Amino acid sequence: MRELPTLPLPAPAPPAEGYSRREALVMGLFALAAAATATGCSAADKLAYEEFVQKHFKDLSPEELKDRLASMEKRYTEQFGKEVKVSATPPMPGVLFGYALDLSRCIGCRRCVYGCVEENNQSRDPQTHWITVLEMDKEEGVNLQNANAFYDHETVPAPGKFYMPVACQHCENPPCVKVCPVQATWKEPDGIVVIDYDWCIGCRNCIAACPYGARRFNWGKPSIPKDELNPNTEYLGNRPRQRGVVEKCSFCLQRVRKGLYPKCVEVCPVGARKFGNLLDPESEIRYIIENKRVYILKEELNTQPKFFYYYGL
Amino acid sequence: MNVLSKFGSFVTGTARMAFVGGNRYYYAWLGVLALCIVQAVFAFSHQFQNGLIVTNMRDSVSWGYYIGNFTFLVGVAAAAVLLVVPAYVYDWKPIKEVALFGELLAVCSIVMCLLFVLVDMGRPDRFWHIVPFLGRMNLPGAIMAWDAVVLNIYLAVNLVVASYLVYCGYHGIHYNKKFVWPLVIFSIPMAISIHTVTAFLYNGMASRPYWNSAILAPRFIASAFCSGPALLLILFQILRKVSAFEIKDEAIHKVAELMAYAMGFNLFLFGAEVFKEYYSNTHHLVHYEYLFAGLHGEPSPIALYAWMSLAFAVISFFLFLIPRTRRNIVTMNIGCVLIYASVYIEKGIALIIPGFTPDQLGQVYEYVPSATELRVAAGVFGIGFLLFTLMVKVSVAILFERPRAEGAH
């Protein structure tokens, strides 16, 4: 297996949760479920009840969080027929994630789009993409009104065209967070804007407010073939989603908080995508911002994205 | 009689008044509404089981017909003040007796608003997340949380005032002015605020240049002050024909006159908006182009409605402005229907869809409501109309049909 490149980060990722403990919890939960079945209450009823009364992610005590993670793991493991891990990896201190994309290199191949789908367990049917790749005319420059997200050439890049992939920009001043009526979405200390899928009410105000069209709603029941599920999941990231809630790019927080690059960075065949710690003056992302011609999408809206387009060539 | 048994007799007595003693048209009307509701239960259960994918909303146009109806009905609810202000504040007799019906309309409109929000939610089972103290409201930041607060306060105020007035009428006692007065006064700024906050919901989004205009809230208020009374004027004439309900022509003409001013102001604000967009001719003009013409050489499916709405508004403005056509019962009724249609199209189609088309990344998704959306909406209107019909039946019986006791309201 190829050695994966790792992110230079200050603090090591926190150790994975102890297995023995989780095992004990799972056993405890199993005993509880058994007891419940004995009293005539089915596990499915209990789950439905649990889902209905559950708390907001931030209101969970450490013990309650452990219980919920264990309960989710059990459920997903049963559902997908393989062991699924659900973690709640906290942000690392001293890290503010930033992204850069070289517009002069991107060829519009959309490998990032499909790499993202696999890594982040997006629904295959109906199909959900977190990244939209826009095709535009070189003559016009960035003109969204002339952008085409549905190009289907035999080969890319098409002559006279350039490509602009757009996903969540992880704004410093995120409109989606401001408008959410129930605080189901928020900005983490490492700059990643996250969603608690179990708290979202599906009002879609965030979709209306996002200037980047980055948020996706689960209009139908999301589906992933069992063998295609990525079993390494995060509570606030790529765990299997439910119908009627909003989702979006999380900078692959299941990877970046453990020192790996986001999937789209890893799969980009032309090296157009860069990622790193904005607080580290030695990082590649800081080098790009300080030395290249940077373009910020809809800069006039003062959303202050942590996603920087640049012209590397 | 103690308070509890008085209240009990009020509940059973009014229930009897609502369902007993109507003519066959009344029961036929109730039957039609019941059918609307029953078919909508099937449509909604289909939506509940399969998700919002059965609507034609998608990520590009993420709000549609449901939220358009919601916005329109907030305006109808707010417009009740147009009757409440002259009745209570200026103590203008001809309107005073009918102001109660404005309040009942407000109550039913808000109930419909809340239902439209509920059917639009991806997870209606989690509605309690936005309930104060129970959920986790995003205050003061989120306008939608504010909207939930003001709508419910306005609903409570109108419900309390209206049911108290009917209660007093039922028992033939005079209402306590010290109790009603502050609530009525309070309901005036509340009416303005429900529609303002709803406008701010759209207005506050920099991502949607079509809505991001400072005169959106005044436009909402101006259009509401035409559409709500338009509904009431038609209703008053029907009631006058079929029941003991009384309203003086003088009051009808006065309301019609107020509507002419509101429509004039509405058209002026619209003109100001159109001037700004077309004269400055920036990229943001695309939404108006989609509304009135089309994009990329393709005709827009909503342009016809947009022009109809504008034409109806202009025609009805002149019908209400000219005293002769305002006082003529036929032309006035035509004007009412035109105003209602104009504002319904404006709020339901011309406000929501161009706000989302083209979307934030310039893509065009042509939204037309699905059959499920139309069916569910028919049911929500059915519930609202049913509630309104029953409440009006009771109120007319109490205020106009019963021989009134000495000193009764």
Side-chain angles (χ1 to χ4, degrees), chain B residues 67-223:
Chain B
I67 293 303
N69 279 313
F70 158 79
T71 310
F72 173 74
L73 289 165
V74 173
V76 174
V81 286
L82 208 64
L83 292 178
V84 171
V85 171
Y88 295 98
V89 178
Y90 295 111
D91 207 18
W92 198 57
K93 269 275 172 326
I95 280 186
K96 195 151 193 176
E97 298 233 298
V98 298
L100 171 67
F101 295 88
E103 282 155 4
L104 294 180
L105 181 67
V107 168
C108 296
S109 303
I110 298 287
V111 167
M112 287 188 272
C113 286
L114 297 176
L115 286 173
F116 270 118
V117 170
L118 197 69
V119 298
D120 191 66
M121 281 168 73
R123 297 298 301 240
D125 54 315
R126 295 181 186 164
F127 74 93
W128 62 272
H129 292 185
I130 198 172
V131 173
F133 306 111
L134 203 58
R136 199 185 158 105
M137 291 177 99
N138 185 8
L139 288 173
I143 304 297
M144 197 177 269
W146 280 111
D147 214 21
V149 170
V150 293
L151 283 172
N152 283 298
I153 293 177
Y154 188 67
L155 174 64
V157 167
N158 277 288
L159 199 58
V160 167
V161 171
S163 46
Y164 175 70
L165 290 179
V166 175
Y167 177 83
C168 290
Y170 180 80
H171 285 296
I173 50 178
H174 200 279
Y175 66 86
N176 181 356
K177 205 175 171 184
K178 278 192 187 142
F179 174 68
V180 173
W181 189 251
L183 284 178
V184 166
I185 296 295
F186 177 61
S187 79
I188 296 167
M190 282 311 295
I192 302 293
S193 73
I194 58 165
H195 218 22
T196 303
V197 172
T198 306
F200 283 178
L201 193 65
Y202 301 100
N203 189 183
M205 293 185 213
S207 57
R208 307 284 176 181
Y210 182 73
W211 299 331
N212 193 215
S213 146
I215 60 169
L216 197 71
R219 274 185 72 191
F220 269 44
I221 302 289
S223 63

Side-chain angles (χ1 to χ4, degrees), chain B residues 117-406:
Chain B
V117 170
L118 197 69
V119 298
D120 191 66
M121 281 168 73
R123 297 298 301 240
D125 54 315
R126 295 181 186 164
F127 74 93
W128 62 272
H129 292 185
I130 198 172
V131 173
F133 306 111
L134 203 58
R136 199 185 158 105
M137 291 177 99
N138 185 8
L139 288 173
I143 304 297
M144 197 177 269
W146 280 111
D147 214 21
V149 170
V150 293
L151 283 172
N152 283 298
I153 293 177
Y154 188 67
L155 174 64
V157 167
N158 277 288
L159 199 58
V160 167
V161 171
S163 46
Y164 175 70
L165 290 179
V166 175
Y167 177 83
C168 290
Y170 180 80
H171 285 296
I173 50 178
H174 200 279
Y175 66 86
N176 181 356
K177 205 175 171 184
K178 278 192 187 142
F179 174 68
V180 173
W181 189 251
L183 284 178
V184 166
I185 296 295
F186 177 61
S187 79
I188 296 167
M190 282 311 295
I192 302 293
S193 73
I194 58 165
H195 218 22
T196 303
V197 172
T198 306
F200 283 178
L201 193 65
Y202 301 100
N203 189 183
M205 293 185 213
S207 57
R208 307 284 176 181
Y210 182 73
W211 299 331
N212 193 215
S213 146
I215 60 169
L216 197 71
R219 274 185 72 191
F220 269 44
I221 302 289
S223 63
F225 281 6
C226 326
S227 57
L231 188 68
L232 282 170
L233 285 194
I234 300 264
L235 177 89
F236 288 159
Q237 293 172 61
I238 295 172
L239 286 179
R240 194 159 65 167
K241 277 243 161 65
V242 302
S243 74
F245 180 87
E246 291 165 27
I247 184 170
K248 296 187 176 65
D249 281 348
E250 199 190 351
I252 288 184
H253 296 152
K254 179 57 84 182
V255 173
E257 190 188 328
L258 293 174
M259 285 162 69
Y261 304 145
M263 185 47 97
F265 194 50
N266 189 25
L267 284 168
F268 168 70
L269 290 176
F270 175 73
E273 193 84 272
V274 165
F275 168 78
K276 175 238 177 190
E277 293 296 0
Y278 279 87
Y279 192 79
S280 49
N281 192 17
T282 68
H283 276 308
H284 296 166
L285 186 59
V286 288
H287 305 289
Y288 273 92
E289 283 174 342
Y290 185 71
L291 177 63
F292 285 118
L295 294 172
H296 309 301
E298 299 274 326
S300 154
I302 60 170
L304 175 69
Y305 295 100
W307 286 106
M308 261 163 53
S309 169
L310 185 58
F312 291 172
V314 172
I315 296 168
S316 59
F317 170 61
F318 284 108
L319 287 177
F320 278 74
L321 185 68
I322 301 163
R324 222 173 50 168
T325 45
R326 179 167 74 226
R327 296 207 182 102
N328 180 310
I329 207 83
V330 177
T331 45
M332 189 198 76
N333 284 337
I334 292 172
C336 281
V337 173
L338 290 180
I339 282 186
Y340 196 80
S342 168
V343 178
Y344 186 69
I345 294 170
E346 189 208 312
K347 287 286 172 291
I349 298 173
L351 174 79
I352 309 289
I353 298 172
F356 285 109
T357 321
D359 72 13
Q360 312 98 316
L361 299 181
Q363 308 303 302
V364 176
Y365 168 73
E366 284 192 356
Y367 167 81
V368 175
S370 72
T372 306
E373 286 171 270
L374 297 174
R375 288 178 58 197
V376 169
V380 173
F381 277 110
I383 292 172
F385 284 16
L386 181 66
L387 203 60
F388 190 61
T389 305
L390 299 176
M391 295 201 299
V392 165
K393 173 88 165 35
V394 170
S395 307
V396 168
I398 287 173
L399 295 189
F400 298 105
E401 283 170 2
R402 273 171 27 140
R404 269 176 269 174
E406 194 59 33

Side-chain angles (χ1 to χ4, degrees), chain A residues 36 41 66 131 203 217 229 246 280:
Chain A
C41 172
K66 281 211 174 80
I131 304 170
C203 72
F217 186 67
L229 183 91
V246 171
D280 174 7

Side-chain angles (χ1 to χ4, degrees), chain A residues 51-56 58-59 126 128 132 134 143-150 166 177-183 196-221 242-245 297-298 300-301, chain B residues 47-55 57-64 66-67 120-130 134-139 141-145 201 204-208 211 283-284 286-287 295-296 356 358-364:
Chain A
E51 274 204 341
F52 181 73
V53 298
Q54 69 200 284
K55 294 179 181 171
H56 188 282
K58 287 186 185 173
D59 291 335
T128 300
T132 308
L134 299 171
N143 175 2
L144 295 177
Q145 294 315 322
N146 190 35
N148 179 9
F150 305 102
V166 184
V177 169
K178 189 159 74 177
V179 303
C180 177
V182 294
Q183 303 179 5
D196 181 353
Y197 311 120
D198 288 309
W199 195 255
C200 171
I201 59 174
C203 72
R204 311 187 297 291
N205 204 351
C206 54
I207 301 185
C210 173
Y212 305 106
R215 290 184 160 243
R216 299 283 178 261
F217 186 67
N218 287 286
W219 299 94
K221 187 174 169 27
Q242 38 196 290
R243 198 182 66 203
V245 301
L297 188 56
K298 303 196 185 185
E300 73 277 13
L301 300 185
Chain B
Q47 179 186 309
F48 191 74
Q49 275 163 23
N50 297 290
L52 286 170
I53 200 158
V54 302
T55 71
M57 293 183 275
R58 292 297 178 265
D59 288 337
S60 259
V61 180
S62 53
W63 284 338
Y66 292 151
I67 293 303
D120 191 66
M121 281 168 73
R123 297 298 301 240
D125 54 315
R126 295 181 186 164
F127 74 93
W128 62 272
H129 292 185
I130 198 172
L134 203 58
R136 199 185 158 105
M137 291 177 99
N138 185 8
L139 288 173
I143 304 297
M144 197 177 269
L201 193 65
M205 293 185 213
S207 57
R208 307 284 176 181
W211 299 331
H283 276 308
H284 296 166
V286 288
H287 305 289
L295 294 172
H296 309 301
F356 285 109
D359 72 13
Q360 312 98 316
L361 299 181
Q363 308 303 302
V364 176

Side-chain angles (χ1 to χ4, degrees), chain A residues 164-201:
Chain A
M164 181 179 223
V166 184
C168 177
Q169 311 267 311
H170 295 277
C171 308
E172 193 53 26
N173 183 16
C176 54
V177 169
K178 189 159 74 177
V179 303
C180 177
V182 294
Q183 303 179 5
T185 181
W186 66 92
K187 190 177 68 184
E188 294 264 280
D190 57 2
I192 300 179
V193 176
V194 294
I195 301 169
D196 181 353
Y197 311 120
D198 288 309
W199 195 255
C200 171
I201 59 174

